[in-house]
Structure formats: C-alpha cells, structure tokens
Amino acid sequence: MSRYVRPSIEAAVFRDGDGRVIEYGNRWVGLPPEGTYSVDTHPERFAALHAVADALIAHLGDTYDVEIEEGADVVADLIRAPSHDVVRAVRVRPRDPACASVTVVMDAYPGIYLHAGVLHDFHYPVCGCDACDSTWQAEADRLEQQVLAVVSGHYREKLERREGEPSVSYAFVYPDGASSGESREPEMAPERYAAAESALRTIAAEWAAWSKRTSG
C-alpha cells in the first residue's frame, strides 16, 4: 500500500490567435479584459484532470477498505446533474458507514465533479473561462487535497434548517490550511434531506478516517 503520487503528465502547449504561447495562470496583471469572461478558448487544457482522477480512484481502491461501483447509476449521487456528457463515473464507498464516500464523475468538458459525503459537490475547474485563467495543475492540487482530506477524516458536513429552508455547510482541514463553505438548498428533495440527516446523526463532528485494506 503506497502513498498517492500524481501520475506523470506531459505539459501541453496552447497558443492564442497570433500564435503566441498562452501562459495560463499568469495571463493578467490586474483585472482581466472584459471580453475574456464566459469565453473558454482552450477547455481541453483540463483533460489532464481525468488522468489525475483515474490515479486517485486506483489509489483509493488499492489502499483502503472500500467498495467501488462504476457506471451511469452513480451519477445520481451528485446534487446537480453535470452540464456535459459523462465520460466515467465511479463511487468509492468505505465499508465503515462512519466514513464519507466519494463519487468521481468525469465529463466531456473535460472536467471533474466530486461528490463527497452526503451533501456536497465540488467542481474542477470551478470555472474554465479565460478571465479566471485557471490551470489544470491548480485544479488537480485542489482535487487531490480535498479527496485526501476526506480519506484522512478531515472533512465535516452540517445540515440544518434556516427560515424553513435546508442550509448545508462543509469544512476541510489540510496539512497547510483549511477551506469551508455554506449555502441554502431550497430545492433539496425531502428524501435526500432525510437520508443526509440520518447519516450525519450517526457520526461524530467529522467523518471518520478510512481504514486501510488488510493484506491477505
């Protein structure tokens, strides 16, 4: 059982309309030009995220006491349906119900949806437009960081009602920091709310760390 290592991925080169190499992640000084918002010139730069997700899934299956389910059915784990065609969808479910499952959905954008626990989806990239200027490396860092936080038991979810509407929140703790968020979910289906409430009632403040596979 080895430590996760990102697969080696050859860096792709992308050029603008004048043939100049685009240095994604370092394009703008100050505010981006107005015409770069909602424009995705080279979404294919995120294709490497699929290789990273494949490697994470393989690592989780080889290292931890989990069940792996793959197929179109697991896409339903997502809170909201993907905006693009699904390429691959995999649920990795620890056998211990005190641990949060993760579902990884790869789409044709190309990007990744991660469903973690019972209440939250995370997207990579959050936005691939030219103005945001994100790189696949930065998105892969975030994907790996959040998956490994779930696995190590450093992920928390909370569900409550505020003014009669479901309110959900999450928190990750990383070796070098933390992140969190909160949102109202007025359209959450009653059955999803009930299932999440039941699951979260049975755990401590955080989801538990995943157990390693035993040899033999």
Side-chain angles (χ1 to χ4, degrees):
M1 293 182 286
S2 60
R3 179 172 170 269
Y4 169 77
V5 177
R6 182 182 297 178
S8 177
I9 297 172
E10 184 176 353
V13 175
F14 300 98
R15 298 180 184 273
D16 63 19
D18 296 320
R20 293 186 295 262
V21 173
I22 301 172
E23 295 185 16
Y24 281 109
N26 298 291
R27 298 185 72 186
W28 316 123
V29 177
L31 293 175
E34 189 65 30
T36 61
Y37 292 89
S38 301
V39 176
D40 297 18
T41 303
H42 288 292
E44 68 271 23
R45 72 186 186 274
F46 296 110
L49 290 175
H50 287 195
V52 173
D54 286 337
L56 278 168
I57 292 165
H59 169 72
L60 298 180
D62 290 343
T63 307
Y64 297 95
D65 184 22
V66 297
E67 297 177 345
I68 294 182
E69 304 166 66
E70 181 167 353
D73 290 350
V74 305
V75 177
D77 291 353
L78 297 177
I79 303 298
R80 293 176 179 82
S83 301
H84 298 82
D85 291 342
V86 172
V87 175
R88 186 186 184 200
V90 182
R91 179 194 296 136
V92 186
R93 185 200 304 273
R95 297 182 197 278
D96 182 352
C99 303
S101 299
V102 295
T103 301
V104 180
V105 178
M106 307 176 203
D107 70 15
Y109 174 72
I112 304 291
Y113 289 77
L114 173 71
H115 180 75
V118 291
L119 290 170
H120 292 91
D121 295 345
F122 303 93
H123 306 155
Y124 317 85
V126 172
C127 179
C129 79
D130 290 5
C132 287
D133 194 32
S134 185
T135 67
W136 75 261
Q137 293 93 336
E139 298 299 335
D141 288 346
R142 194 167 60 90
L143 171 63
E144 292 166 341
Q145 190 178 49
Q146 292 183 330
V147 168
L148 296 176
V150 173
V151 168
S152 62
H154 293 127
Y155 176 55
R156 175 181 301 183
E157 294 185 286
K158 185 177 180 181
L159 172 66
E160 57 188 338
R161 285 196 177 274
R162 292 188 178 181
E163 298 176 354
E165 293 183 350
S167 176
V168 302
S169 60
Y170 70 87
F172 292 100
V173 177
Y174 314 121
D176 58 351
S179 65
S180 61
E182 182 176 354
S183 63
R184 295 285 183 95
E185 295 291 341
E187 298 180 5
M188 180 181 291
E191 55 270 23
R192 186 183 284 271
Y193 185 99
E197 187 176 46
S198 176
L200 295 175
R201 192 184 298 122
T202 64
I203 66 171
E206 294 180 321
W207 289 101
W210 293 16
S211 298
K212 297 284 185 71
R213 288 183 60 183
T214 56
S215 58

mmCIF file of all heavy atoms in Angstrom, residues 47 49-51 53-54 57 70-72 74-75 78 82-90 104-113:
data_model
loop_
_atom_site.group_PDB
_atom_site.id
_atom_site.type_symbol
_atom_site.label_atom_id
_atom_site.label_comp_id
_atom_site.label_asym_id
_atom_site.label_seq_id
_atom_site.Cartn_x
_atom_site.Cartn_y
_atom_site.Cartn_z
ATOM 1 N N ALA A 47 -7.915 18.410 -19.656
ATOM 2 C CA ALA A 47 -8.034 16.964 -19.898
ATOM 3 C C ALA A 47 -7.172 16.154 -18.938
ATOM 4 O O ALA A 47 -7.518 15.022 -18.575
ATOM 5 C CB ALA A 47 -7.667 16.642 -21.342
ATOM 6 N N LEU A 49 -6.913 16.404 -15.926
ATOM 7 C CA LEU A 49 -7.630 16.112 -14.683
ATOM 8 C C LEU A 49 -8.212 14.701 -14.684
ATOM 9 O O LEU A 49 -8.326 14.070 -13.629
ATOM 10 C CB LEU A 49 -8.751 17.131 -14.464
ATOM 11 C CG LEU A 49 -8.325 18.552 -14.116
ATOM 12 C CD1 LEU A 49 -9.538 19.467 -14.061
ATOM 13 C CD2 LEU A 49 -7.566 18.589 -12.797
ATOM 14 N N HIS A 50 -8.577 14.194 -15.852
ATOM 15 C CA HIS A 50 -9.112 12.836 -15.915
ATOM 16 C C HIS A 50 -8.049 11.811 -15.531
ATOM 17 O O HIS A 50 -8.338 10.826 -14.851
ATOM 18 C CB HIS A 50 -9.667 12.547 -17.312
ATOM 19 C CG HIS A 50 -10.956 13.243 -17.592
ATOM 20 N ND1 HIS A 50 -11.779 12.911 -18.646
ATOM 21 C CD2 HIS A 50 -11.598 14.258 -16.948
ATOM 22 C CE1 HIS A 50 -12.848 13.688 -18.653
ATOM 23 N NE2 HIS A 50 -12.757 14.518 -17.633
ATOM 24 N N ALA A 51 -6.811 12.033 -15.974
ATOM 25 C CA ALA A 51 -5.726 11.121 -15.600
ATOM 26 C C ALA A 51 -5.460 11.175 -14.100
ATOM 27 O O ALA A 51 -5.200 10.150 -13.456
ATOM 28 C CB ALA A 51 -4.460 11.465 -16.383
ATOM 29 N N ALA A 53 -7.698 11.976 -11.792
ATOM 30 C CA ALA A 53 -8.833 11.316 -11.135
ATOM 31 C C ALA A 53 -8.722 9.798 -11.236
ATOM 32 O O ALA A 53 -8.999 9.082 -10.263
ATOM 33 C CB ALA A 53 -10.141 11.799 -11.754
ATOM 34 N N ASP A 54 -8.327 9.296 -12.406
ATOM 35 C CA ASP A 54 -8.129 7.848 -12.561
ATOM 36 C C ASP A 54 -7.104 7.333 -11.556
ATOM 37 O O ASP A 54 -7.283 6.262 -10.947
ATOM 38 C CB ASP A 54 -7.661 7.521 -13.981
ATOM 39 C CG ASP A 54 -8.760 7.637 -15.028
ATOM 40 O OD1 ASP A 54 -9.954 7.536 -14.667
ATOM 41 O OD2 ASP A 54 -8.420 7.815 -16.217
ATOM 42 N N ILE A 57 -8.594 7.276 -7.991
ATOM 43 C CA ILE A 57 -9.513 6.148 -7.821
ATOM 44 C C ILE A 57 -8.736 4.849 -7.637
ATOM 45 O O ILE A 57 -9.057 4.032 -6.754
ATOM 46 C CB ILE A 57 -10.465 6.053 -9.028
ATOM 47 C CG1 ILE A 57 -11.416 7.258 -9.042
ATOM 48 C CG2 ILE A 57 -11.258 4.747 -8.998
ATOM 49 C CD1 ILE A 57 -12.141 7.442 -10.363
ATOM 50 N N GLU A 70 -18.974 1.415 -10.464
ATOM 51 C CA GLU A 70 -18.766 2.259 -11.633
ATOM 52 C C GLU A 70 -19.940 2.116 -12.587
ATOM 53 O O GLU A 70 -20.424 1.013 -12.827
ATOM 54 C CB GLU A 70 -17.465 1.889 -12.342
ATOM 55 C CG GLU A 70 -17.173 2.745 -13.566
ATOM 56 C CD GLU A 70 -15.753 2.604 -14.074
ATOM 57 O OE1 GLU A 70 -14.931 1.937 -13.414
ATOM 58 O OE2 GLU A 70 -15.465 3.182 -15.145
ATOM 59 N N GLY A 71 -20.392 3.233 -13.128
ATOM 60 C CA GLY A 71 -21.482 3.194 -14.092
ATOM 61 C C GLY A 71 -22.351 4.424 -14.014
ATOM 62 O O GLY A 71 -22.203 5.284 -13.133
ATOM 63 N N ALA A 72 -23.287 4.505 -14.935
ATOM 64 C CA ALA A 72 -24.144 5.686 -15.036
ATOM 65 C C ALA A 72 -24.999 5.902 -13.792
ATOM 66 O O ALA A 72 -25.360 7.048 -13.470
ATOM 67 C CB ALA A 72 -25.037 5.562 -16.270
ATOM 68 N N VAL A 74 -24.309 5.858 -10.667
ATOM 69 C CA VAL A 74 -23.731 6.599 -9.550
ATOM 70 C C VAL A 74 -23.715 8.112 -9.804
ATOM 71 O O VAL A 74 -23.485 8.886 -8.868
ATOM 72 C CB VAL A 74 -22.320 6.098 -9.184
ATOM 73 C CG1 VAL A 74 -22.338 4.603 -8.917
ATOM 74 C CG2 VAL A 74 -21.292 6.449 -10.242
ATOM 75 N N VAL A 75 -23.982 8.538 -11.037
ATOM 76 C CA VAL A 75 -24.064 9.970 -11.329
ATOM 77 C C VAL A 75 -25.168 10.616 -10.495
ATOM 78 O O VAL A 75 -25.095 11.798 -10.150
ATOM 79 C CB VAL A 75 -24.303 10.204 -12.832
ATOM 80 C CG1 VAL A 75 -24.455 11.692 -13.134
ATOM 81 C CG2 VAL A 75 -23.160 9.623 -13.653
ATOM 82 N N LEU A 78 -24.708 13.013 -7.388
ATOM 83 C CA LEU A 78 -24.490 14.453 -7.473
ATOM 84 C C LEU A 78 -25.745 15.227 -7.069
ATOM 85 O O LEU A 78 -26.865 14.811 -7.375
ATOM 86 C CB LEU A 78 -24.090 14.856 -8.891
ATOM 87 C CG LEU A 78 -22.772 14.292 -9.437
ATOM 88 C CD1 LEU A 78 -22.575 14.745 -10.883
ATOM 89 C CD2 LEU A 78 -21.597 14.729 -8.573
ATOM 90 N N PRO A 82 -24.573 16.901 -14.173
ATOM 91 C CA PRO A 82 -23.489 17.526 -14.926
ATOM 92 C C PRO A 82 -24.010 18.312 -16.122
ATOM 93 O O PRO A 82 -25.058 17.993 -16.694
ATOM 94 C CB PRO A 82 -22.643 16.327 -15.387
ATOM 95 C CG PRO A 82 -23.018 15.210 -14.476
ATOM 96 C CD PRO A 82 -24.446 15.441 -14.108
ATOM 97 N N SER A 83 -23.257 19.336 -16.514
ATOM 98 C CA SER A 83 -23.635 20.163 -17.659
ATOM 99 C C SER A 83 -23.178 19.570 -18.982
ATOM 100 O O SER A 83 -23.618 20.021 -20.037
ATOM 101 C CB SER A 83 -23.019 21.569 -17.506
ATOM 102 O OG SER A 83 -23.453 22.170 -16.313
ATOM 103 N N HIS A 84 -22.283 18.575 -18.933
ATOM 104 C CA HIS A 84 -21.743 17.955 -20.138
ATOM 105 C C HIS A 84 -21.911 16.446 -20.049
ATOM 106 O O HIS A 84 -22.207 15.896 -18.982
ATOM 107 C CB HIS A 84 -20.263 18.308 -20.312
ATOM 108 C CG HIS A 84 -20.004 19.771 -20.481
ATOM 109 N ND1 HIS A 84 -19.929 20.638 -19.411
ATOM 110 C CD2 HIS A 84 -19.821 20.525 -21.596
ATOM 111 C CE1 HIS A 84 -19.701 21.864 -19.850
ATOM 112 N NE2 HIS A 84 -19.645 21.823 -21.161
ATOM 113 N N ASP A 85 -21.726 15.769 -21.174
ATOM 114 C CA ASP A 85 -21.838 14.319 -21.199
ATOM 115 C C ASP A 85 -20.845 13.679 -20.230
ATOM 116 O O ASP A 85 -19.704 14.146 -20.080
ATOM 117 C CB ASP A 85 -21.568 13.782 -22.606
ATOM 118 C CG ASP A 85 -22.672 14.149 -23.592
ATOM 119 O OD1 ASP A 85 -23.779 14.502 -23.138
ATOM 120 O OD2 ASP A 85 -22.417 14.094 -24.814
ATOM 121 N N VAL A 86 -21.271 12.608 -19.586
ATOM 122 C CA VAL A 86 -20.428 11.903 -18.625
ATOM 123 C C VAL A 86 -19.526 10.914 -19.360
ATOM 124 O O VAL A 86 -19.981 10.142 -20.200
ATOM 125 C CB VAL A 86 -21.285 11.174 -17.573
ATOM 126 C CG1 VAL A 86 -20.426 10.272 -16.696
ATOM 127 C CG2 VAL A 86 -22.039 12.192 -16.724
ATOM 128 N N VAL A 87 -18.240 10.958 -19.018
ATOM 129 C CA VAL A 87 -17.253 10.049 -19.601
ATOM 130 C C VAL A 87 -17.045 8.832 -18.710
ATOM 131 O O VAL A 87 -16.958 7.703 -19.187
ATOM 132 C CB VAL A 87 -15.914 10.787 -19.814
ATOM 133 C CG1 VAL A 87 -14.838 9.834 -20.312
ATOM 134 C CG2 VAL A 87 -16.092 11.948 -20.785
ATOM 135 N N ARG A 88 -16.954 9.057 -17.412
ATOM 136 C CA ARG A 88 -16.767 7.970 -16.446
ATOM 137 C C ARG A 88 -17.331 8.423 -15.116
ATOM 138 O O ARG A 88 -17.201 9.604 -14.754
ATOM 139 C CB ARG A 88 -15.280 7.619 -16.301
ATOM 140 C CG ARG A 88 -15.006 6.400 -15.426
ATOM 141 C CD ARG A 88 -13.522 6.150 -15.188
ATOM 142 N NE ARG A 88 -13.334 4.926 -14.423
ATOM 143 C CZ ARG A 88 -12.232 4.626 -13.725
ATOM 144 N NH1 ARG A 88 -11.206 5.469 -13.712
ATOM 145 N NH2 ARG A 88 -12.152 3.496 -13.048
ATOM 146 N N ALA A 89 -17.946 7.503 -14.376
ATOM 147 C CA ALA A 89 -18.487 7.819 -13.057
ATOM 148 C C ALA A 89 -18.191 6.663 -12.114
ATOM 149 O O ALA A 89 -18.519 5.514 -12.406
ATOM 150 C CB ALA A 89 -19.991 8.076 -13.133
ATOM 151 N N VAL A 90 -17.561 6.986 -10.978
ATOM 152 C CA VAL A 90 -17.119 5.954 -10.030
ATOM 153 C C VAL A 90 -17.452 6.392 -8.614
ATOM 154 O O VAL A 90 -17.140 7.514 -8.211
ATOM 155 C CB VAL A 90 -15.593 5.719 -10.142
ATOM 156 C CG1 VAL A 90 -15.156 4.616 -9.177
ATOM 157 C CG2 VAL A 90 -15.198 5.361 -11.567
ATOM 158 N N VAL A 104 -16.724 10.210 -8.074
ATOM 159 C CA VAL A 104 -15.966 10.997 -9.043
ATOM 160 C C VAL A 104 -16.640 10.858 -10.403
ATOM 161 O O VAL A 104 -16.795 9.743 -10.918
ATOM 162 C CB VAL A 104 -14.510 10.514 -9.129
ATOM 163 C CG1 VAL A 104 -13.731 11.346 -10.149
ATOM 164 C CG2 VAL A 104 -13.845 10.589 -7.755
ATOM 165 N N VAL A 105 -17.058 11.984 -10.964
ATOM 166 C CA VAL A 105 -17.716 11.995 -12.268
ATOM 167 C C VAL A 105 -16.867 12.830 -13.221
ATOM 168 O O VAL A 105 -16.621 14.012 -12.972
ATOM 169 C CB VAL A 105 -19.149 12.576 -12.171
ATOM 170 C CG1 VAL A 105 -19.797 12.622 -13.556
ATOM 171 C CG2 VAL A 105 -19.987 11.738 -11.215
ATOM 172 N N MET A 106 -16.409 12.196 -14.288
ATOM 173 C CA MET A 106 -15.603 12.874 -15.300
ATOM 174 C C MET A 106 -16.504 13.215 -16.481
ATOM 175 O O MET A 106 -17.247 12.351 -16.964
ATOM 176 C CB MET A 106 -14.458 11.970 -15.759
ATOM 177 C CG MET A 106 -13.622 11.431 -14.630
ATOM 178 S SD MET A 106 -12.342 10.284 -15.191
ATOM 179 C CE MET A 106 -12.080 9.352 -13.674
ATOM 180 N N ASP A 107 -16.439 14.464 -16.914
ATOM 181 C CA ASP A 107 -17.316 14.864 -18.008
ATOM 182 C C ASP A 107 -16.515 15.297 -19.233
ATOM 183 O O ASP A 107 -15.289 15.393 -19.213
ATOM 184 C CB ASP A 107 -18.314 15.933 -17.561
ATOM 185 C CG ASP A 107 -17.678 17.287 -17.296
ATOM 186 O OD1 ASP A 107 -16.527 17.517 -17.704
ATOM 187 O OD2 ASP A 107 -18.351 18.138 -16.690
ATOM 188 N N ALA A 108 -17.243 15.551 -20.306
ATOM 189 C CA ALA A 108 -16.626 15.821 -21.602
ATOM 190 C C ALA A 108 -16.142 17.248 -21.753
ATOM 191 O O ALA A 108 -15.608 17.601 -22.815
ATOM 192 C CB ALA A 108 -17.614 15.477 -22.724
ATOM 193 N N TYR A 109 -16.269 18.078 -20.718
ATOM 194 C CA TYR A 109 -15.830 19.486 -20.842
ATOM 195 C C TYR A 109 -14.405 19.638 -21.355
ATOM 196 O O TYR A 109 -14.189 20.446 -22.279
ATOM 197 C CB TYR A 109 -16.022 20.191 -19.508
ATOM 198 C CG TYR A 109 -15.468 21.599 -19.491
ATOM 199 C CD1 TYR A 109 -16.093 22.637 -20.186
ATOM 200 C CD2 TYR A 109 -14.284 21.885 -18.800
ATOM 201 C CE1 TYR A 109 -15.568 23.920 -20.182
ATOM 202 C CE2 TYR A 109 -13.770 23.169 -18.792
ATOM 203 C CZ TYR A 109 -14.405 24.182 -19.482
ATOM 204 O OH TYR A 109 -13.871 25.442 -19.477
ATOM 205 N N PRO A 110 -13.351 19.065 -20.736
ATOM 206 C CA PRO A 110 -13.312 17.982 -19.740
ATOM 207 C C PRO A 110 -13.066 18.531 -18.325
ATOM 208 O O PRO A 110 -12.240 19.407 -18.118
ATOM 209 C CB PRO A 110 -12.111 17.155 -20.190
ATOM 210 C CG PRO A 110 -11.188 18.168 -20.820
ATOM 211 C CD PRO A 110 -12.050 19.267 -21.391
ATOM 212 N N GLY A 111 -13.808 17.982 -17.375
ATOM 213 C CA GLY A 111 -13.643 18.389 -16.003
ATOM 214 C C GLY A 111 -14.072 17.275 -15.073
ATOM 215 O O GLY A 111 -14.363 16.152 -15.515
ATOM 216 N N ILE A 112 -14.117 17.591 -13.785
ATOM 217 C CA ILE A 112 -14.434 16.609 -12.749
ATOM 218 C C ILE A 112 -15.507 17.171 -11.833
ATOM 219 O O ILE A 112 -15.470 18.350 -11.453
ATOM 220 C CB ILE A 112 -13.192 16.287 -11.887
ATOM 221 C CG1 ILE A 112 -12.016 15.794 -12.744
ATOM 222 C CG2 ILE A 112 -13.536 15.275 -10.789
ATOM 223 C CD1 ILE A 112 -12.199 14.440 -13.362
ATOM 224 N N TYR A 113 -16.457 16.317 -11.453
ATOM 225 C CA TYR A 113 -17.362 16.587 -10.342
ATOM 226 C C TYR A 113 -16.993 15.599 -9.240
ATOM 227 O O TYR A 113 -16.860 14.400 -9.494
ATOM 228 C CB TYR A 113 -18.817 16.347 -10.720
ATOM 229 C CG TYR A 113 -19.418 17.349 -11.684
ATOM 230 C CD1 TYR A 113 -19.132 17.290 -13.047
ATOM 231 C CD2 TYR A 113 -20.287 18.333 -11.238
ATOM 232 C CE1 TYR A 113 -19.692 18.191 -13.937
ATOM 233 C CE2 TYR A 113 -20.861 19.240 -12.124
ATOM 234 C CZ TYR A 113 -20.548 19.163 -13.470
ATOM 235 O OH TYR A 113 -21.108 20.068 -14.347
#
